[in-house]
Amino acid sequence: MAHVWRGVMREFADRLGVTDASTVVTLGEGGTPLVPARVLSEMTGADVWIKFEGMNPTGSFKDRGMTVALSRAVEHGAKAVICASTGNTSASAAAYAAHAGITAAVLVPEGKIAMGKLSQAVIHGGQLIQIRGNFDDCLEIARELSENYPVHLVNSVNPDRIEGQKTAAYEVVSQLGDAPDFHFIPIGNAGNYTAYSRGFMEEAAAGTSTRVPRMFGFQAEGSAPIVRGEVVRNPETIATAIRIGNPASWELALDAREKTDGYFGAISDTAILAAQKLLASTAGVFVEPASAIGVAGLLERSAAGVIPAGSRVTITVTGHGLKDPQWALTQEDGSQVTPTIVDAAPRDVAEVLGLSPVGAPA
Ligand code: AN7
């Protein structure tokens, strides 16, 4: 019989220390595809693979950590969880809390989260509050409430989140048969960068891989506190998922970069959108803007001569393109894509497609 995927807590029960399977809250997250990227490989001379995290139940990598965080919250008798979010965490927390039958309060920056994510939080029954402020303000409030009120914090400052997210690195090693030479990944709070670094280091320590990849993390130029080495008070980028000026896992990320001989870089919004389009049109993988930053990062580092020919490269693309689809329909000059309209006649359609009838002289 075909293997049926049971979610990361059951698939990696020994690694995650799952002792009581009865309290596992899962939507079947993890087990996402690792897709070869032929055109990116040709462009860079490397062997490039895409870890497609948009294939998780709520459309982002957050589900890997949320299953662990919600399971532990339920185990401890929590009736409510709380998080601050740029969107994906709120969607995931609301869905997993709904599944567990408890409440999720989600704090998001007013007007700065993508429509798809907002709609997810709402339909899953999350108590959604828009804060007049940015993500960093939301996180401060969520932390304070979790200390003084009976609500369980499920942001990535909760170590259960990082634990669950490590499983993506385990999967990459198992899908490739070894760890890659380089791993590229977006950075917002730097929780996922930390999680992959740990996951890859665990694999190497266990002998399931022969190496730890160099971890290359990227922030948007207008929102790059770790790259610049200082808090950004008013972060700005079209990649709203990573519009974060004071990352929660900053110190952990510096440590992980040190241990993996890694790198932090900043990428312009223009390069992010170009990479999003390139990935969708050449690999068939549609991701939200923030998730394309690793692709842009690879192109930039490759051009800088840092990626030796033949290197094996993996890129985590963190969230699905349908979360924030407006960018797909926006052209470089800011105008909207308008599909061609013709009468309901085959000949008119063929003409627009540039087709000649079969057997007609060329
Ligand atoms: C698509 O949802 O912070 O560096 O509140 O949604 O671990 O923060 C989202 C982050 C990358 C950055 N890609 O990951 C939130 C939130 C996508 C994301 C990140 C996020 P971290």
Side-chain angles (χ1 to χ4, degrees), residues 213-250:
R214 297 183 66 188
M215 290 291 300
F216 279 32
F218 294 86
Q219 302 188 298
E221 264 178 5
S223 179
I226 299 184
V227 179
R228 313 234 179 279
E230 59 187 15
V231 171
V232 176
R233 293 276 161 225
N234 296 302
E236 270 313 336
T237 169
I238 56 99
T240 52
I242 52 172
R243 187 172 168 274
I244 293 170
N246 188 11
S249 296
W250 193 327

Side-chain angles (χ1 to χ4, degrees), residues 19 37 53 68 126 138 143 185:
T19 48
E53 288 290 278
V68 181
C138 295
R143 278 181 147 162
I185 190 164

Side-chain angles (χ1 to χ4, degrees), residues 61-62 85-89 188-192 241-242 244 288 291 318:
F61 73 99
K62 303 285 181 183
S85 182
T86 57
N88 281 321
T89 298
N189 273 303
N192 215 26
I242 52 172
I244 293 170
E288 62 172 288
S291 304
T318 42

Side-chain angles (χ1 to χ4, degrees), residues 7-271:
V8 298
M9 289 188 75
R10 292 202 173 97
E11 294 296 331
F12 302 106
D14 50 337
R15 310 283 292 268
L16 297 179
V18 177
T19 48
D20 182 2
S22 69
T23 56
V24 169
V25 179
T26 179
L27 294 170
E29 61 296 314
T32 57
L34 187 70
V35 181
R38 180 179 46 83
V39 170
L40 283 175
S41 296
E42 285 166 10
M43 288 172 76
T44 57
D47 178 24
V48 184
W49 298 77
I50 307 295
K51 185 66 170 160
F52 191 4
E53 288 290 278
M55 293 297 285
N56 277 295
T58 77
S60 87
F61 73 99
K62 303 285 181 183
D63 296 342
R64 292 179 185 275
M66 210 53 77
T67 181
V68 181
L70 258 290
S71 298
R72 300 265 153 84
V74 167
E75 202 177 324
H76 293 128
K79 296 281 176 276
V81 296
I82 190 167
C83 67
S85 182
T86 57
N88 281 321
T89 298
S90 68
S92 187
Y96 281 76
H99 193 76
I102 67 173
T103 304
V106 305
L107 311 182
V108 302
E110 181 191 13
K112 291 294 184 183
I113 84 167
M115 183 73 79
K117 304 173 189 179
L118 191 66
S119 65
Q120 288 178 289
V122 169
I123 199 136
H124 290 307
Q127 293 182 308
L128 181 84
I129 302 176
Q130 297 203 62
I131 303 289
R132 290 190 197 96
N134 59 31
F135 169 84
D136 306 295
D137 301 316
C138 295
L139 183 58
E140 226 173 280
I141 297 168
R143 278 181 147 162
E144 192 174 320
L145 291 187
S146 71
E147 280 160 22
N148 299 310
Y149 297 84
V151 286
H152 188 93
L153 188 65
V154 294
N155 278 106
S156 57
V157 291
N158 175 338
D160 294 336
R161 284 275 314 281
I162 307 281
E163 278 295 292
Q165 287 171 206
K166 284 189 317 194
T167 59
Y170 304 161
E171 289 176 20
V172 168
V173 169
S174 130
Q175 286 166 313
L176 288 176
D178 200 348
D181 299 303
F182 295 85
H183 187 79
F184 286 72
I185 190 164
I187 290 185
N189 273 303
N192 215 26
Y193 181 92
T194 303
Y196 272 79
S197 302
R198 286 192 190 164
F200 282 127
M201 286 191 276
E202 280 181 21
E203 290 287 300
T208 26
S209 67
T210 61
R211 61 178 84 89
V212 172
R214 297 183 66 188
M215 290 291 300
F216 279 32
F218 294 86
Q219 302 188 298
E221 264 178 5
S223 179
I226 299 184
V227 179
R228 313 234 179 279
E230 59 187 15
V231 171
V232 176
R233 293 276 161 225
N234 296 302
E236 270 313 336
T237 169
I238 56 99
T240 52
I242 52 172
R243 187 172 168 274
I244 293 170
N246 188 11
S249 296
W250 193 327
E251 291 301 321
L252 294 175
L254 292 178
D255 182 55
R257 178 183 62 174
E258 184 80 28
K259 288 185 174 139
T260 66
D261 190 19
Y263 173 82
F264 297 133
I267 298 289
S268 71
D269 282 3
T270 311

